[in-house]
Amino acid sequence: MSSSSASSGSSELPADIDVVVIGAGQAGLAVGQTLKQAGVNFVILDAANELGVSWINRWDSLQLFTSARFCGLPGLPFPGDPDRYPAKDEVPHYFRTYAATFELPVHLGQRVVSVQRSNGGFAVTTSTGRISARQVVAAVGAFQTPVVPEFSRRLAPSVTQLHSHAYRNPEQLPAGKVAVVGSANSGLQIATELSHSREVVVCRGRKQPRLPQRILGRDAFWWLSKSGLLRLPTNTPLARRLAMPDPVVGTKIDELARSVGFAERAVDADGAQLVTADGQRIEASTVLWATGYRNDWSWLSPELRGADGQPEHNAGIGASGLHFVGLYRMRNRGSALLGFVGRDAQRVGAAVARRARR
């Protein structure tokens, strides 16, 4: 299988199979490798027409804040110097190589419309057909639907609005001041880039912990990995005591403050102005929402979701045969990260393989 030979949307899907994996990002490919090694009969479905689209569609200058040493999936190191920080466009190429290396049965252009119970298993309906499966692994990622606050509707039409999900480069924005709402890694990295060509103010809520990119000559994630913090199960008392927002990695906020203004959390909008928690009014020609994402489970039939609308599982493993990989803090802090999702994928994949053998 060559690096470009993942199945296209026109490829015929099997009518019946042991396992359907939904999503061919890092989580889906990693669990696919485990299933392949275990000899399970499965397919991986993805709505996109090429691998790595979620990475391709991130902003142009994005550079990973984990070194290459911590960007690989099980069985295949990320190429190049392990201490370098890859550009985001390297990830789709790595995904293609990964799928080819392990001959993963990826079917692209297959958007999953619904999953429902059927005959003791599941009926998976896609944009082109329907598959019966004994088990389903949802590997749709942690960053599905961009979130924008409701008060954004009160901004005047003259104000350009876009979510960080849609941001590519400064050239796509009109001239004038930019208000970046959100001060996690994405918001601060975009604010840094925009500050080179225009006035920028960042609206931030609670201050987040900071983490240098390198500590004593080693990548920060080397220390996090060695300390066991990334593997610490989120349901343990120690993890709850250490609960905190994700750290801002690498961005030197004190230096950034020399070129970017900081304001309190944005809580409302009035015409062309954002209103902050302390009553400040910020007028900007563009508001960039770096306000995160939420999961969308509307494609799961109601009987597969709990009373709160969320699917039920134990750290990714579902009693009914519906499993999950790659969700934010699903089992630990590394559950959604490129180089750390493999641990969850191997654990869930092994459970799927055991169930398939039964």
Side-chain angles (χ1 to χ4, degrees):
M1 185 176 185
S2 72
S3 62
S4 60
S5 60
S7 301
S8 69
S10 62
S11 298
E12 186 174 347
L13 291 175
D16 186 87
I17 200 163
D18 285 340
V19 181
V20 168
V21 178
I22 303 172
Q26 58 237 31
L29 295 178
V31 79
Q33 189 263 3
T34 299
L35 297 178
K36 184 80 172 186
Q37 299 297 103
V40 175
N41 188 22
F42 73 102
V43 291
I44 303 175
L45 309 180
D46 198 278
N49 290 317
E50 59 181 318
L51 290 173
V53 163
S54 62
W55 288 92
I56 293 170
N57 289 340
R58 303 300 297 277
W59 68 91
D60 296 346
S61 65
L62 174 62
Q63 188 176 42
L64 278 64
F65 55 63
T66 48
S67 64
R69 186 189 312 278
F70 299 106
C71 293
L73 299 177
L76 186 68
F78 203 90
D81 181 350
D83 288 324
R84 71 190 182 89
Y85 294 92
K88 58 103 176 181
D89 289 337
E90 295 180 59
V91 179
H93 177 75
Y94 173 74
F95 283 179
R96 291 191 293 271
T97 302
Y98 193 86
T101 299
F102 296 105
E103 299 184 325
L104 301 181
V106 177
H107 290 255
L108 299 172
Q110 295 290 344
R111 182 173 62 87
V112 171
V113 177
S114 68
V115 175
Q116 58 192 48
R117 293 192 192 280
S118 176
N119 298 323
F122 301 91
V124 180
T125 303
T126 77
S127 50
T128 68
R130 182 179 169 121
I131 309 174
S132 294
R134 260 68 71 197
Q135 298 184 78
V136 171
V137 180
V140 292
F143 309 107
Q144 297 176 33
T145 303
V147 172
V148 173
E150 185 276 333
F151 65 78
S152 64
R153 301 177 186 177
R154 293 193 282 277
L155 280 170
S158 60
V159 179
T160 297
Q161 299 186 60
L162 77 163
H163 192 272
S164 58
H165 182 79
Y167 174 76
R168 299 293 175 268
N169 53 60
E171 288 68 38
Q172 78 184 111
L173 305 184
K177 186 175 181 178
V178 179
V180 176
V181 180
S183 58
N185 285 289
S186 293
L188 292 180
Q189 287 183 32
I190 293 172
T192 300
E193 178 173 75
L194 290 172
S195 70
H196 300 316
S197 59
R198 61 198 72 204
E199 183 182 0
V200 177
V201 61
V202 176
C203 298
R204 59 180 177 179
R206 57 180 176 174
K207 292 185 178 181
Q208 292 172 277
R210 308 178 192 183
L211 189 65
Q213 195 138 47
R214 300 190 73 80
I215 302 169
L216 299 177
R218 289 191 178 272
D219 181 79
F221 283 84
W222 184 90
W223 294 100
L224 290 173
S225 182
K226 287 293 183 182
S227 68
L229 288 175
L230 286 172
R231 298 188 301 277
L232 188 66
T234 53
N235 62 356
T236 61
L238 178 58
R240 286 193 286 270
R241 284 199 297 272
L242 295 175
M244 63 181 70
D246 291 333
V248 172
V249 181
T251 300
K252 298 178 180 178
I253 298 178
D254 294 337
E255 291 183 10
L256 181 60
R258 299 185 190 124
S259 56
V260 166
F262 282 96
E264 292 293 311
R265 179 171 58 94
V267 296
D268 204 352
D270 181 14
Q273 297 177 328
L274 285 174
V275 182
T276 66
D278 62 353
Q280 182 182 355
R281 289 175 172 264
I282 300 170
E283 188 162 338
S285 60
T286 299
V287 174
L288 192 144
W289 302 103
T291 41
Y293 299 80
R294 66 170 178 268
N295 291 322
D296 175 14
W297 301 117
S298 61
W299 50 275
L300 289 176
S301 61
E303 74 269 16
L304 296 175
R305 291 179 270 152
D308 60 357
Q310 300 298 308
E312 296 179 352
H313 57 91
N314 180 13
I317 298 174
S320 66
L322 173 62
H323 314 283
F324 300 85
V325 178
L327 300 181
Y328 179 70
R329 296 196 185 184
M330 185 183 79
R331 188 163 182 255
N332 52 50
R333 284 180 173 267
S335 289
L337 297 178
L338 173 60
F340 298 91
V341 69
R343 297 190 185 104
D344 284 357
Q346 290 174 323
R347 176 176 170 273
V348 173
V352 171
R354 288 194 297 271
R355 189 183 182 103
R357 285 192 290 270
R358 292 199 299 268

